Amino acid sequence: MILDFILSHHRAFSLLTGFFLDTLLGDPHFLPHPVRLMGKFIAFLEKRLNKANDSAKLQRFKGFLLVFFVVAISFSLSFMILFACKRIHPILFLSIESLMCYQCIAAKSLCHESMKVCHALKICDLLGARKSVSMIVGRDTDILDERGVAKAAVETVAENTNDGVIAPLFFMTILGASGAMAYKAVNTLDSMIAYKNARFRNFGFFAAKLDDFANFIPARISAILMILSALLLPGFNSKNAVKIFFRDRLKHASPNSAQTESVCAGALGIQLAGNTVYGGITEEKEFIGDKTREIEEKDIFRANVLMYATTILALILSELTII
């Protein structure tokens, strides 16, 4: 009777189980992870398809082929595995579906890695803080002071509240674990080949556009839930979060990244973004939020509290939607 009930609501069960597994275990590096496999597959194809002497149109076409195959294989392979497991035994199906959901959620690892930065700053270990933040951001970190390091960590937590947590939950809710795997493929493609440099400007064009499309709705859901979290949590300024969201949510080259960053900046009363250095080249960016006070290492912890509160609200919403 209980098993029949769980099977009839398997997606809700697996999603919830996946969240609890992530909360307990995070992302142990000794265990194989599908995102790492996706990364190796993308790197393998990119080396063979991306040729500097190809025309811009040919580079875009090859980039489209890479995106299509990586996303299609990620979805179809996970779907076939689940289908086979369901035919073998329902408990095996539930176990593997829960494992896939767990591997698509990155709340614990995001919190763990960003808090390494917080702890290093707390003991005035700037070199250690720079090293820790370099593991979670793409900018040059060796030139950052304490406030620059803290800002980079807060921005990463704010942006990845959507990319690493809410968007996967969104696709799990509407398309199941296979849909979440496809989203992780899209997100991995964006992080690997969607750079605006000579090598990837054309080849990564479709990867960047697909990531923008896939995150469009989840990013806005994330921002709304983050505002609600700021309202429910003590010590966060929900009124200012709304103000900065409507004013600064589009102050980013991406249509999605500033959605949650603006809410986080407003809720904490700090200023994020601004000019950033990548590979020795300064990239001009608008500021997000008002500098009502200087950023500090405790803001990394506060950003993680906001991230987890947003995640719990998203989880509740997902469960209600499924059931």
Side-chain angles (χ1 to χ4, degrees):
M1 183 71 71
I2 296 176
L3 182 59
D4 290 338
F5 176 80
I6 293 175
L7 284 171
S8 63
H9 299 85
H10 66 88
R11 191 175 296 178
F13 173 83
S14 298
L15 194 156
L16 190 62
T17 303
F19 169 75
F20 282 120
L21 285 173
D22 176 73
T23 302
L24 290 172
L25 304 176
D27 179 22
H29 292 289
F30 62 87
L31 293 178
H33 197 286
V35 170
R36 298 189 191 106
L37 295 176
M38 290 174 191
K40 290 180 180 180
F41 185 47
I42 293 166
F44 174 82
L45 291 178
E46 190 272 331
K47 286 181 181 179
R48 285 152 181 80
L49 293 174
N50 191 10
K51 305 298 181 183
N53 57 348
D54 286 339
S55 66
K57 286 186 178 180
L58 185 56
Q59 284 183 336
R60 286 194 178 190
F61 177 69
K62 287 183 175 181
F64 168 77
L65 288 179
L66 186 148
V67 169
F68 176 81
F69 280 115
V70 171
V71 176
I73 290 173
S74 298
F75 179 85
S76 58
L77 185 59
S78 57
F79 182 86
M80 287 188 291
I81 290 171
L82 289 172
F83 181 80
C85 290
K86 197 170 187 179
R87 296 292 296 270
I88 295 170
H89 199 281
I91 293 180
L92 178 63
F93 167 72
L94 285 171
S95 300
I96 298 302
E97 186 179 50
S98 298
L99 181 62
M100 286 185 180
C101 289
Y102 155 55
Q103 292 179 319
C104 289
I105 301 172
K108 178 68 175 290
S109 61
L110 176 60
C111 179
H112 178 71
E113 295 300 324
S114 61
M115 286 305 294
K116 286 182 181 178
V117 183
C118 182
H119 295 319
L121 289 174
K122 191 173 183 179
I123 60 173
C124 300
D125 180 11
L126 179 58
L127 291 178
R130 285 172 174 169
K131 181 178 179 181
S132 294
V133 82
S134 71
M135 305 301 292
I136 56 175
V137 301
R139 71 193 67 182
D140 295 353
T141 59
D142 56 347
I143 59 172
L144 299 177
D145 60 10
E146 288 85 352
R147 292 191 178 98
V149 169
K151 184 171 74 169
V154 170
E155 287 174 5
T156 298
V157 174
E159 181 177 352
N160 284 285
T161 296
N162 175 68
D163 294 4
V165 188
I166 309 304
L169 287 175
F170 173 81
F171 283 98
M172 285 178 207
T173 302
I174 63 173
L175 294 173
S178 300
M181 283 292 179
Y183 169 78
K184 295 302 287 188
V186 171
N187 199 238
T188 306
L189 282 160
D190 180 72
S191 67
M192 291 184 66
I193 66 170
Y195 295 101
K196 293 181 178 179
N197 55 26
R199 181 178 177 181
F200 293 116
R201 183 173 291 107
N202 292 300
F203 188 81
F205 175 81
F206 285 103
K209 294 301 180 184
L210 183 58
D211 185 76
D212 287 345
F213 176 78
N215 281 296
F216 191 85
I217 294 175
R220 283 145 184 83
I221 293 174
S222 299
I224 293 169
L225 294 177
M226 191 175 283
I227 290 171
L228 290 175
S229 298
L231 179 64
L232 296 171
L233 292 168
F236 291 86
N237 192 334
S238 59
K239 184 177 179 180
N240 195 49
V242 173
K243 171 190 169 184
I244 301 301
F245 169 69
F246 280 108
R247 192 191 74 189
D248 295 348
R249 70 188 187 279
L250 298 177
K251 288 184 176 181
H252 200 283
S254 163
N256 304 314
S257 295
Q259 301 290 322
T260 46
E261 281 189 43
S262 60
V263 176
C264 186
L268 297 179
I270 57 176
Q271 192 174 67
L272 299 176
N275 293 351
T276 309
V277 179
Y278 297 93
I281 300 173
T282 300
E283 184 175 310
E284 293 186 1
K285 295 182 179 180
E286 292 188 78
F287 285 108
I288 296 174
D290 295 325
K291 195 174 182 179
T292 57
R293 62 176 177 83
E294 293 289 352
I295 194 168
E296 57 186 4
E297 82 276 355
K298 292 179 182 177
D299 288 313
I300 303 172
F301 172 76
R302 295 176 185 125
N304 277 295
V305 170
L306 199 57
M307 180 269 289
Y308 261 109
T310 304
T311 300
I312 291 170
L313 289 182
L315 187 66
I316 293 170
L317 182 60
S318 293
E319 294 292 309
L320 291 175
T321 301
I322 296 169
I323 295 173

